[in-house]
Amino acid sequence: MIGLVCVLFLDFGSTIVLRWWAVSMLVVGWLVLFVLACVWWVPRPRRLPWLAVTGLVVWVAVVLGVTLATR
């Protein structure tokens, strides 16, 4: 869960370099990951770090994709 909070800070920190719609997509994606983490909290706790890794990979892909697309 700490990893997901770090990803949320990255998402909101991206407002400096990304457009509002890209940040909105990142936050909606984070909400999906957070709900999934809450569901998996007791039955599958070993999968939670992978959600943070997924959020980080998605963040990198969106930042690179939007930056290259708006050039």
Side-chain angles (χ1 to χ4, degrees), residues 9-22:
F9 277 105
L10 286 174
D11 291 346
F12 282 128
S14 300
T15 57
I16 298 170
V17 294
L18 296 178
R19 298 182 187 264
W20 66 270
W21 53 269

Side-chain angles (χ1 to χ4, degrees), residues 13-41:
S14 300
T15 57
I16 298 170
V17 294
L18 296 178
R19 298 182 187 264
W20 66 270
W21 53 269
V23 175
S24 299
M25 284 184 359
L26 285 170
V27 171
V28 167
W30 182 88
L31 285 172
V32 170
L33 290 175
F34 182 72
V35 168
L36 190 58
C38 289
V39 170
W40 283 355
W41 183 259

